[in-house]
Amino acid sequence: MRSPIVRWPALTLSLALALAGCAKGTGGGPPAAQQASRYDPAATFTGTLTVMGFGGDDEIGATRLAKAKAALGGADVKLVEGDLDIQQFLSSVAAGDPPDLVYANRDQIGTFASRGAIVPLTACVKGEGIDTSMYDENALAQVTFGGEVWAVPEFNQVQIVMADAGLLRQAGLTVADVNGSDWAKITEAAKKLVKAPGGKLRVIGFDSKLPEFLPLWAKANGADLLSPDGRTARLNSPQVVEALEFAVGIYAAQGGFAKVKAVRDAADFFGKGNQFAEHELGAMPMEQWYVNVLNDVSPEAPLAFDAFRTPRGEPLAYSSGSAWAIPKGAGNAAAACRFAKTMTLVDTWTAAAQARLDKRKGEGKPFTGVLTGNVRADKEIRKMVTSGGEPWDSGVKAFYEANEHTFSLPANPADKEFKDAWQGAVNRVLNGQDQPRQALDRAQRDAQAALDKAWAWWTKRTG
């Protein structure tokens, strides 16, 4: 299952005004705590619940949506579908006409909270009796700061290594040469796998997936980009610099990032002409949901899978995903809380998995599982996985192993600014504007300034 990708548009003047409006509308700080008495697990709801950023257009989403609607006891649900439009969302909050519930990436929750655009869910959790122990610890931590939970975790995403087994075999390699356990071997494998006749890149040997996966390479090298309390940037530590140098060097060994990106962007990523089916990619780390995509569109492609591993051979994954948050000023917050709770319950997830399983059986294909932010649901869903033979069984094994060895970046009130800083640094290096150390030194200054400002503001407003 591919969870929706939520993108930040360019910070135009209108968005800047919307942000300012949000801050002004909440007195420049977090909204006041709500009363648990507002929430009653026995209550039924009427009227309309407006949900922004969620589609429910496949069997996983549709099954869960039906259960959430039924749990409301009568209220209509209006979906504002498509990727979350951040400008539209913040503008609606500033105008006093927000949706009742918003579906966002977990790494956006801290910024939304600091802008006063969403409310803390402490009362929601208590009043609806939500058992937060069912949620993945990293997923829950990513939406918790200032002593309060700000969102309900939903899908979970982790990375595994995916490779073209045919290309590996032709080059005398195995997946162990590209799984991260030996960085020197990855570099050599990339050189052996790459094909660039006449200087024109045709086959990417290894894609280190920058800029998105810098946190993964850094963590594998023993470094965190951010301190556990979310207050101190660590972007220019020697280990992070080394990780960036390595991951960028992979591209340099293949003719440079521009050539790799051109081949990457031209691929039919979700179709039958994907890079593995067309033998245009040796290996890469990638989110686990892509196993299901590949099995669906190119089941005969020769593939090999393994967990991404540290140089010590230990499995590792950078956990990210989606979450449900209630906007400030939501007219039907109690119904929104019930909806978010129901969408993430064990029974809801297993019903959705059964719907996927039934569909896959009808198509004569295996059910490769679904990763959620609910550890109990994951345990039950794993029992439902069906064998597809190799390499698919190895793919499923790899992503469940990865899911047991995850980390995430701590929540903080400058989530967006922090992410912009490190991704901007990586992009400057990829574009040839800066060297890794220079780029990360600048990112460190920018990120720390943003963190200091946001935390000072947060502390002042929360007393």
Side-chain angles (χ1 to χ4, degrees):
M1 171 66 187
R2 179 188 178 221
S3 60
I5 299 172
V6 185
R7 299 179 176 87
W8 286 94
L11 189 60
T12 60
L13 176 61
S14 55
L15 177 53
L17 291 173
L19 290 170
C22 285
K24 182 178 179 181
T26 59
Q34 299 185 13
Q35 297 298 315
S37 59
R38 288 190 60 189
Y39 303 92
D40 179 0
T44 57
F45 304 97
T46 58
T48 299
L49 179 76
T50 303
V51 180
M52 181 178 284
F54 183 81
D57 53 358
D58 65 4
E59 65 279 3
I60 296 289
T63 300
R64 294 164 54 240
L65 180 60
K67 280 188 164 290
K69 286 180 177 179
L72 298 177
D76 293 325
V77 176
K78 177 184 177 182
L79 299 181
V80 182
E81 299 188 35
D83 290 352
L84 179 62
D85 186 322
I86 305 299
Q87 181 171 342
Q88 180 185 2
F89 167 56
L90 294 174
S91 295
S92 71
V93 175
D97 186 29
D100 297 298
L101 191 63
V102 65
Y103 187 58
N105 282 348
R106 294 201 298 262
D107 64 4
Q108 295 170 333
I109 298 303
T111 294
F112 285 167
S114 69
R115 301 292 184 184
I118 58 176
V119 298
L121 300 187
T122 304
C124 159
V125 168
K126 182 178 180 180
E128 271 287 341
I130 300 176
D131 180 5
T132 57
S133 68
M134 66 182 171
Y135 298 123
D136 177 86
E137 289 183 1
N138 282 323
L140 189 62
Q142 202 171 15
V143 295
T144 303
F145 76 100
E148 300 205 75
V149 175
W150 292 86
V152 176
E154 207 204 39
F155 281 106
N156 209 35
Q157 294 182 169
V158 298
Q159 305 80 31
I160 64 172
V161 171
M162 307 182 185
D164 184 320
L167 292 179
L168 289 178
R169 188 165 48 251
Q170 292 170 19
L173 302 168
T174 70
V175 71
D177 294 304
V178 292
N179 67 3
S181 58
D182 188 319
W183 287 11
K185 284 186 177 181
I186 292 180
T187 301
E188 289 306 309
K191 293 176 181 178
K192 290 179 180 180
L193 292 165
V194 68
K195 295 181 181 180
K200 183 173 178 59
L201 186 63
R202 298 291 186 185
V203 178
I204 301 169
F206 186 91
D207 189 346
S208 52
K209 295 304 293 292
L210 293 180
E212 296 87 353
F213 289 176
L214 176 64
L216 181 65
W217 292 109
K219 187 69 171 181
N221 204 35
D224 292 300
L225 301 189
L226 185 63
S227 63
D229 62 5
R231 293 176 179 270
T232 305
R234 297 173 174 173
L235 297 179
N236 62 347
S237 73
Q239 297 97 325
V240 178
V241 173
E242 184 180 38
L244 180 55
E245 289 173 341
F246 164 75
V248 171
I250 291 293
Y251 295 131
Q254 301 175 88
F257 178 70
K259 291 184 178 181
V260 172
K261 187 175 186 298
V263 176
R264 179 204 286 179
D265 291 349
D268 180 18
F269 196 76
F270 293 100
K272 295 180 179 180
N274 63 77
Q275 289 172 287
F276 288 123
E278 297 297 318
H279 308 293
E280 296 175 344
L281 172 64
M284 67 175 177
M286 182 61 197
E287 283 93 350
Q288 89 288 340
W289 49 260
Y290 198 50
V291 173
N292 186 54
V293 172
L294 293 171
N295 179 262
D296 192 37
V297 300
S298 50
E300 302 303 319
L303 291 157
F305 302 102
D306 194 7
F308 178 90
R309 299 185 183 277
T310 72
R312 296 163 298 285
E314 301 163 347
L316 180 70
Y318 170 37
S319 173
S320 61
S322 48
W324 295 101
I326 299 178
K328 187 256 183 184
N332 213 344
C337 181
R338 174 75 57 78
F339 186 98
K341 168 188 173 181
T342 307
M343 289 290 281
T344 59
L345 290 174
V346 174
D347 289 349
T348 303
W349 279 119
T350 53
Q354 185 64 52
R356 170 66 59 83
L357 172 60
D358 292 343
K359 180 181 178 182
R360 299 293 282 180
K361 280 185 177 179
E363 297 170 339
K365 297 176 181 178
F367 171 52
T368 58
V370 178
L371 287 187
T372 80
N374 186 320
V375 294
R376 296 175 194 168
D378 284 345
K379 184 176 180 180
E380 294 303 313
I381 292 172
R382 188 170 187 179
K383 298 175 185 176
M384 303 166 67
V385 170
T386 57
S387 174
E390 291 299 337
W392 310 108
D393 291 353
S394 292
V396 172
K397 178 182 177 182
F399 73 66
Y400 274 109
E401 181 179 18
N403 199 45
E404 294 173 356
H405 299 85
T406 63
F407 74 98
S408 61
L409 297 181
N412 66 84
D415 273 339
K416 179 184 183 296
E417 294 85 350
F418 182 79
K419 185 175 182 179
D420 284 349
W422 67 258
Q423 287 204 348
V426 176
N427 283 325
R428 289 193 299 276
V429 176
L430 293 174
N431 295 333
Q433 297 169 279
D434 287 340
Q435 292 300 310
R437 164 63 71 178
Q438 177 187 13
L440 290 172
D441 281 346
R442 173 179 165 183
Q444 174 68 21
R445 292 191 297 269
D446 292 346
Q448 193 58 57
L451 288 166
D452 289 345
K453 181 178 179 180
W455 277 112
W457 174 88
W458 182 267
T459 302
K460 179 180 179 180
R461 294 300 178 182
T462 56

